[in-house]
Amino acid sequence: MKKLSARILALVMVLALAFAGCGESSAPVASSAPAQNAASAAASDPASDVSAASLEQVTLRFALSNSADSVHGKNITKMIENIEAARTNNETGLEVVLYPNGQLGSVDEMLEQIMMGEDIILSTDPGALKNWANELAILEAPYFFENEQEPALVFQTDWFKDQLKTLEENGIKVLSGEMIYGSRHIMATAPIRNPADMKGLKIRVPGNDLSVAMIEAMGGISTPMALSEVYASIQQGVINGMENPFATHIDNNMWEVCDYLSLDGHQITTSWYVMSADVFNKLASAEQDFLMKTAADAADYFNSINSEANEEALQTLKEKGVTVVDDVDIAAFKEATTSVYDKFGYSELRTKIYEQMDQFR
C-alpha cells in the first residue's frame, strides 16, 4: 500500500511539473510573436495618452497642383516625414501620401471629392473656397494687402475665425489657412506696365470668378485653367501668360515660354490645407489634435522658408534671361481694379476687416 501511495504521489508530482512546464513554455512563444501594439497597451493602461481608437490606421491623400520640388512640395514632404516619425513611435495611426503635379485632378475636382467625403487633403487658396464661405474671396481681391506682413494681421481677426467656422459648418475642415505664399505677378510673352498693355493678352487664372473679374478689370482676357496645362498652352499660343508668385513661375518653367516678368503685385496670396469635415470628425480626438498640430507646424515651417524661396526664384528668373519689368504703374492698376470690390459687394467688408486688422498693428 505504501508503495502504491508513493507511486501515486510521484505521478501527481510528474503531472504537476508537466503542467507547470506548459505554462513556462508559452512565454517564449509570446515573446517571439509581434510585440503588443501601442493601442492594445493603451487600452490596458489608463495612464497612457494613446487610445486604441487613436491608432486606427487611416491613409489620407495629399493633393498638390505644384511639383514635389516646389516650396509647397518641400513643406508637405517635411510634414509627412514628421507624421512617419510619429507612426514609428506609435504616436499616430495616420499615414499621408503626397500626389503632386495635379495627379489626382484639378483643385475644383478635388474640392468636389472632398465634399463627397473622400480622404483627401488639398493645398488651395481662399478664392477657391468662396462657394462655402463667400466672404473669403476678398483675401484674393486685387491689392487687398499692402505688403506681405499684413496677412498675419488678418489671421488674428474675429472675421477670419468666423470664416473657418463657416467653412466647417459647410463641410470643409481647415487644417491650416495661415501660410503666406507671397505677391503674385504676371509672366507673359509681352511686357506689362499699365492696363493698356494688358489689352488682348490672355492670362491664365485659377478657376474662380473673382480672379476672372480681376484680370478683366486690369484690361486682359481671363482664361481659367489647371496649372498643369499652362506651359503647353503658352507654348501653343492658346494663352499669353499667367499670374503667380515667383516660386510658382520657376516651378512651372515659365522662363522657357515667357520672356517678361511684370512686377504688378496684384495679389498677396495665402495658401490653405483643407479636407472633408466629415472625414476629420470621424478621426479619434487624439488623431484630430495630432493632425491640427502637425498642420500648424507645417504652416510655421512654410512661412520660414517661403520668403527666401521667392527671392531665390526671382534671381533664377533673371539668370534665365527673363526681363524683369519693375516700372509698373501700380496706381493705375489699383484704380482699374476698384470695380472688383463693387462687383462682389466687398467695399464695406474691406473696411470692416481693415478696422479689425488695425487692432493688431
Side-chain angles (χ1 to χ4, degrees), residues 142-163:
Y143 303 103
F144 179 80
F145 296 115
E146 287 293 327
N147 54 61
E148 293 187 10
Q149 288 69 51
E150 285 197 337
L153 302 177
V154 168
F155 302 152
Q156 302 176 66
T157 64
D158 289 338
W159 173 82
F160 182 81
K161 296 170 186 176
D162 287 341
Q163 300 312 299

Side-chain angles (χ1 to χ4, degrees), residues 12 19 25 29 54 100 105 123 135 141 152 163 168 175 197 259 267 289 333:
V12 170
F19 281 116
S25 67
V29 173
S54 72
S123 174
E135 294 183 356
Q163 300 312 299
E168 187 159 6
L175 301 180
D197 292 335
D259 294 328
Q267 291 171 318
D289 293 342
F333 278 114

Side-chain angles (χ1 to χ4, degrees), residues 27-341:
V29 173
S31 63
S32 65
Q36 181 185 35
N37 65 40
S40 298
S44 62
D45 181 7
S48 174
D49 291 331
V50 183
S51 67
S54 72
L55 284 184
E56 179 184 357
Q57 302 301 302
V58 177
T59 299
L60 300 172
R61 295 169 291 164
F62 208 126
L64 177 66
S65 297
N66 305 92
S67 74
D69 293 327
S70 67
V71 65
H72 270 302
K74 292 176 180 177
N75 187 57
I76 296 167
T77 297
K78 183 174 178 62
M79 178 180 174
I80 291 174
E81 289 173 353
N82 292 337
I83 292 173
E84 286 301 312
R87 277 169 57 84
T88 301
N89 293 330
N90 290 321
E91 297 169 7
T92 182
L94 291 177
E95 179 183 24
V96 177
V97 181
L98 174 61
Y99 291 85
N101 300 313
Q103 290 179 36
L104 297 182
S106 68
V107 169
D108 287 344
E109 290 170 339
M110 290 302 94
L111 284 170
E112 288 179 8
Q113 291 194 35
I114 284 173
M115 294 306 297
M116 293 171 63
E118 292 293 328
D119 53 359
I120 294 170
I121 300 175
L122 173 67
S123 174
T124 187
D125 55 60
L129 302 172
K130 179 176 179 289
N131 289 340
W132 298 274
N134 179 64
E135 294 183 356
L136 262 183
I138 194 172
L139 298 180
E140 300 274 86
Y143 303 103
F144 179 80
F145 296 115
E146 287 293 327
N147 54 61
E148 293 187 10
Q149 288 69 51
E150 285 197 337
L153 302 177
V154 168
F155 302 152
Q156 302 176 66
T157 64
D158 289 338
W159 173 82
F160 182 81
K161 296 170 186 176
D162 287 341
Q163 300 312 299
L164 301 186
K165 292 178 183 177
T166 299
L167 283 174
E168 187 159 6
E169 290 169 355
N170 288 315
I172 294 180
K173 177 66 179 180
V174 178
L175 301 180
S176 176
E178 302 179 354
M179 288 166 284
I180 304 170
Y181 197 14
S183 300
R184 297 174 78 106
H185 308 278
I186 298 175
M187 277 200 75
T189 54
I192 298 168
R193 292 182 171 82
N194 53 61
D197 292 335
M198 291 281 286
K199 186 176 181 180
L201 293 182
K202 297 178 181 178
I203 305 298
R204 178 269 174 185
V205 294
N208 65 77
D209 51 1
L210 188 140
S211 293
V212 169
M214 176 187 66
I215 290 298
E216 291 177 350
M218 292 172 72
I221 301 171
S222 297
T223 308
M225 181 182 296
L227 192 58
S228 58
E229 300 173 7
V230 171
Y231 184 97
S233 295
I234 296 176
Q235 195 174 43
Q236 296 165 10
V238 176
I239 59 175
N240 305 106
M242 76 165 181
E243 49 80 48
N244 253 305
F246 301 137
T248 303
H249 289 308
I250 282 291
D251 191 42
N252 289 272
N253 299 330
M254 285 298 100
W255 74 85
E256 296 179 356
V257 289
C258 294
D259 294 328
Y260 300 94
L261 170 66
S262 299
L263 304 183
D264 63 301
H266 51 273
Q267 291 171 318
I268 297 175
T269 191
T270 57
S271 293
W272 298 49
Y273 295 164
V274 303
M275 66 182 293
S276 163
D278 286 342
V279 172
F280 180 85
N281 291 333
K282 289 177 182 176
L283 297 175
S285 59
E287 296 289 41
Q288 292 176 358
D289 293 342
F290 173 81
L291 188 54
M292 293 300 292
K293 174 65 166 56
T294 302
D297 290 343
D300 289 340
Y301 180 71
F302 181 91
N303 288 334
S304 73
I305 66 173
N306 187 57
S307 179
E308 182 177 351
N310 274 320
E311 290 176 5
E312 291 177 354
L314 176 59
Q315 184 59 36
T316 299
L317 288 171
K318 292 178 180 179
E319 293 172 357
K320 294 293 186 181
V322 173
T323 299
V324 177
V325 181
D326 57 8
D327 58 343
V328 178
D329 190 345
I330 301 297
F333 278 114
K334 283 185 176 181
E335 182 178 356
T337 55
T338 55
S339 61
V340 175
Y341 288 88

